[in-house]
Amino acid sequence: MFSRQGLVAVLIISYTSTIQTANDEDTSKWVQQTFNNATEDDIDLTPTGEKINDLDCITDNSEVGTCVVYYLCDPDTHTIIADGTTLIDMRQRQCISYLDVCCGHKSILPEETLTTTQKQPNTNPHDVIKFQEELHTTPATFNATFSDDKMEKNLHSSVAEHFSSQCGWDVPSLFVFPKNDSAIYANYGEFPWAVALIKKKPTKTWSPNDYLGGGTLIHPSVVLTVAHKVDKINAQKIKIRAGEWDTQTVKEKHQYQEKNVKRILIHPHFFKTSLYFDVALLITESPFDLAAAPHIKPACLGTSLPSPGTECFSMGWGPDFNNEDKYATILKKIQLPLVGSGDCTEKLQQSRLGTYFRIHSSLTCAGGIKGIDTCQGDGGSALVCPIETKNNYTRYVAYGLVAYGIDCGVADRPGVYANIPAALEWINQEMIKQNYGIGTYTA
């Protein structure tokens, strides 16, 4: 049994799966190249500041275009957005950066010659009224008619505002790739609560030795993580990075934020030898600015564990033990089924833990699929399970934190996670003591 030290969560999956989850063969090549570029040398997470690539390319409409960052290209007309509206999924792979797409120039016209054509909304009035009722609003909330674009924009804005005000929802409006649960990488905005714990250094250069592990944002000023990552370190030596996705580029729609840690709270029953109650709260010196960051938001915390077999996810930037432990640069995700305590105990007894081993009530299990697992360096990352899907949004609840395992990716050998519901009473008590309350992470 060992603690998971180093970088955050990793998805263990074959190259075949990469091809299956990508848009096409070119996409899989770009993603594979991106994942394999990192080395064991120091990795600089400082944004590179590269410029948008102005290379000629051919659009989906077979016209000459220019490579622009993905969210600047209108998905319907394949022309560069001039008014700042909409985001798109990545479609082309002719551009040097995988976050660039080929986009035409028809929308770039002199202001005096620019004309507009009214577009018929595809919103059904009955759907609008139904959604209003779900939000407990009245039709007056939507200050628009059913016959123009303003109606549709107001509806979409109200939908986004509704979900952004609650914990645990993903942000599909930020997605770069098509939504796919079996993908080997997380979408931008898919797990907006995922944060990185990093040792503070005079420079922005970061190496694996500086990376402490993963964490989960539960309040603008509070991060939940495992105690064994932070019980022997001074709070003033840690910083939290939220809103990260691709560590090697600044082409995401929004940039990450970093905050220093001022206080570490360890669960009073934490027992490091066996990692019982392996839970800690990190209090930041100042809150993250969530109003200016739709890609950063709190997770929901579960009150009781779902049934065994429930499909859940972990996420992070950890090394791939099936690929020479090379570090990923894009946030990855791991799909794992929950495993009941009795079944987990029996399976782990077959390892070196022996027949007397029992899973403690402060721990839970997930995984046991060959080649798919969290591993060394993944400690502190959340284990989340989907509880609701609505209007293409998915809501997740965190039930665990990566704690330990016996080897990595071995069939019928689940990983062990801190049981969040078992520690929730203590978490609530500490949050109330800090005058933060529990509303930010309550589903």
Side-chain angles (χ1 to χ4, degrees):
M1 177 172 61
F2 53 81
S3 299
R4 299 173 182 238
Q5 306 294 330
L7 276 178
V8 209
V10 55
L11 179 62
I12 310 306
I13 198 163
S14 66
Y15 180 64
T16 302
S17 297
T18 302
I19 297 177
Q20 290 174 343
T21 59
N23 286 342
D24 49 36
E25 184 176 359
D26 290 337
T27 301
S28 65
K29 291 179 180 178
W30 277 101
V31 173
Q32 189 69 20
Q33 179 181 354
T34 302
F35 285 172
N36 291 338
N37 276 342
T39 68
E40 294 183 0
D41 298 330
D42 286 3
I43 301 173
D44 188 355
L45 287 185
T46 305
T48 58
E50 63 257 42
K51 298 179 180 178
I52 293 176
N53 183 21
D54 293 329
L55 294 179
D56 287 340
C57 55
I58 304 300
T59 71
D60 286 351
N61 298 334
S62 300
E63 299 173 349
V64 175
T66 296
C67 292
V68 298
V69 69
Y70 67 98
Y71 52 79
L72 296 181
C73 192
D74 188 292
D76 297 320
T77 64
H78 300 277
T79 55
I80 297 172
I81 296 170
D83 60 2
T85 60
T86 76
L87 293 173
I88 69 163
D89 291 328
M90 183 172 57
R91 297 178 181 176
Q92 295 286 350
R93 297 296 170 271
Q94 304 175 61
C95 306
I96 292 178
S97 171
Y98 76 99
L99 284 177
D100 285 347
V101 294
C102 185
C103 199
H105 294 272
K106 284 186 177 181
S107 66
I108 304 180
L109 299 173
E111 186 173 353
E112 61 270 19
T113 63
L114 187 63
T115 60
T116 59
T117 301
Q118 185 160 322
K119 176 176 145 185
Q120 291 299 319
N122 54 19
T123 304
N124 188 313
H126 298 291
D127 293 337
V128 176
I129 295 173
K130 181 180 179 181
F131 187 75
Q132 290 171 342
E133 293 173 349
E134 290 177 354
L135 297 184
H136 305 290
T137 63
T138 64
T141 302
F142 297 87
N143 185 24
T145 66
F146 294 125
S147 60
D148 65 34
D149 286 338
K150 191 175 181 181
M151 175 70 255
E152 187 174 5
K153 290 181 180 179
N154 281 356
L155 173 62
H156 293 166
S157 176
S158 297
V159 171
E161 183 178 352
H162 170 63
F163 291 115
S164 66
S165 66
Q166 300 178 336
C167 64
W169 291 100
D170 60 8
V171 193
S173 61
L174 297 179
F175 284 8
V176 176
F177 306 112
K179 194 167 188 175
N180 190 339
D181 284 346
S182 63
I184 69 168
Y185 46 86
N187 244 313
Y188 180 50
E190 187 168 10
F191 303 126
W193 50 83
V195 304
L197 282 56
I198 306 173
K199 294 179 183 178
K200 286 197 292 188
K201 293 288 184 177
T203 66
K204 289 286 187 178
T205 301
W206 172 81
S207 74
N209 291 332
D210 296 331
Y211 198 97
L212 295 174
T216 299
L217 191 71
I218 63 172
H219 181 277
S221 297
V222 185
V223 166
L224 177 66
T225 189
V226 287
H228 77 259
K229 288 290 184 181
V230 295
D231 66 318
K232 298 298 183 182
I233 190 169
N234 188 291
Q236 282 68 43
K237 294 183 178 180
I238 307 174
K239 63 181 178 180
I240 305 294
R241 177 175 291 190
E244 183 62 277
W245 183 61
D246 185 338
T247 63
Q248 300 298 297
T249 186
V250 293
K251 288 189 174 183
E252 295 99 333
K253 180 69 173 177
H254 307 278
Q255 297 306 303
Y256 66 78
Q257 298 179 23
E258 287 188 347
K259 300 294 178 181
N260 295 328
V261 175
K262 70 175 181 180
R263 189 179 305 121
I264 299 174
L265 305 175
I266 304 291
H267 196 288
H269 299 308
F270 172 53
F271 180 53
K272 190 164 187 174
T273 302
S274 301
L275 296 186
Y276 298 164
F277 293 101
D278 191 13
V279 177
L281 296 174
L282 307 183
I283 312 299
T284 59
E285 290 182 352
S286 60
F288 287 100
D289 185 2
L290 304 191
H295 63 315
I296 303 174
K297 62 192 306 182
C300 302
L301 300 186
T303 58
S304 61
L305 292 173
S307 303
T310 300
E311 290 295 327
C312 303
F313 299 89
S314 193
M315 70 294 299
W317 297 269
D320 184 342
F321 60 79
N322 279 344
N323 190 25
E324 301 178 352
D325 289 336
K326 292 182 179 180
Y327 291 102
T329 61
I330 295 176
L331 181 65
K332 301 172 76 173
K333 69 177 182 180
I334 310 162
Q335 186 168 1
L336 302 163
L338 296 185
V339 178
S341 59
D343 191 16
C344 183
T345 293
E346 181 179 344
K347 290 179 176 179
L348 290 182
Q349 285 176 343
Q350 306 304 312
S351 70
R352 61 177 178 267
L353 296 180
T355 57
Y356 295 103
F357 173 78
R358 299 291 185 276
I359 281 290
H360 191 264
S361 61
S362 67
L363 298 167
T364 189
C365 303
I369 308 300
K370 183 177 181 180
I372 303 177
D373 200 2
T374 52
C375 197
Q376 293 98 329
D378 298 335
S381 300
L383 177 69
V384 300
C385 308
I387 63 167
E388 183 180 2
T389 299
K390 184 182 292 184
N391 292 81
N392 199 40
Y393 289 77
T394 301
R395 195 178 200 185
Y396 299 88
V397 169
Y399 294 101
L401 302 169
V402 178
Y404 72 84
I406 306 301
D407 301 320
C408 305
V410 178
D412 293 322
R413 191 172 295 175
V416 181
Y417 297 76
N419 184 338
I420 289 178
L424 190 59
E425 182 178 359
W426 173 78
I427 294 171
N428 290 343
Q429 290 174 351
E430 291 300 325
M431 291 293 288
I432 292 172
K433 286 181 183 178
Q434 302 299 320
N435 294 319
Y436 293 136
I438 66 174
T440 57
Y441 56 82
T442 302

